[in-house]
Amino acid sequence: MKPFYYESSAYAPKVDFNNLTGVFALEGISRPENVSAFYIDLIGWLKEYEQGWCKTGKAAETGIVLNIKLTYCNSASTKYILQAIEIIVSWKNYGILPQINWYYDESDEKMKEDGQDLSDALDYGFNFISLT
């Protein structure tokens, strides 16, 4: 399995999900023209990771850290990000307790609230980290 990497653009975030280190990152702006096409590959990669790394115990060796540093996220992207985090959180069934770090700019209360909403929806604690 290869890491999942996508360089950021004006409308899509940088995605760097490294299966070898267990560090996953979303960073930048998320408002791609075709949100489902953008996130469907990421969701597929997470499901493949679960089959090949979580179920076999490889993921438990490194642990999982998800770093989310979004400066803007439209509602359609939020739906897919919720799905992705939901998959990652479900890995607690394999004895893996993912650490989810939600970074936000202090002047952007909306992004912090979005992270809190996702944390509440999943009933899973995020670490909220101010960038300023």
Side-chain angles (χ1 to χ4, degrees):
M1 170 174 224
K2 294 181 181 177
F4 188 90
Y5 185 83
Y6 181 86
E7 189 58 51
S8 66
S9 71
Y11 301 102
K14 174 181 174 182
V15 181
D16 188 2
F17 280 36
N18 190 318
N19 56 302
L20 301 175
T21 64
V23 177
F24 302 165
L26 280 173
E27 186 173 339
I29 294 171
S30 187
R31 57 177 176 156
E33 285 184 35
N34 188 338
V35 177
S36 62
F38 181 83
Y39 280 102
I40 198 74
D41 289 338
L42 175 62
I43 300 293
W45 187 90
L46 288 171
K47 290 178 180 178
E48 184 180 331
Y49 181 88
E50 180 175 352
Q51 295 299 313
W53 289 72
C54 296
K55 287 186 176 181
T56 62
K58 291 180 185 177
E61 295 171 15
T62 60
I64 302 294
V65 176
L66 173 61
N67 294 313
I68 301 175
K69 297 179 186 177
L70 297 173
T71 55
Y72 176 80
C73 185
N74 66 13
S75 59
S77 293
T78 300
K79 177 180 123 180
Y80 285 97
I81 292 169
L82 174 62
Q83 286 180 343
I85 298 172
E86 192 171 44
I87 291 168
I88 293 169
V89 167
S90 76
W91 297 342
K92 61 186 176 188
N93 296 328
Y94 302 105
I96 302 161
L97 296 176
Q99 176 182 333
I100 301 174
N101 299 318
W102 187 275
Y103 294 83
Y104 65 95
D105 188 304
E106 278 238 1
S107 64
D108 187 356
E109 193 63 30
K110 169 106 174 67
M111 281 309 301
K112 183 177 182 184
E113 288 174 4
D114 288 350
Q116 290 170 329
D117 290 345
L118 292 174
S119 177
D120 291 345
L122 294 167
D123 193 26
Y124 195 83
F126 292 12
N127 298 313
F128 291 94
I129 303 166
S130 172
L131 293 170
T132 52

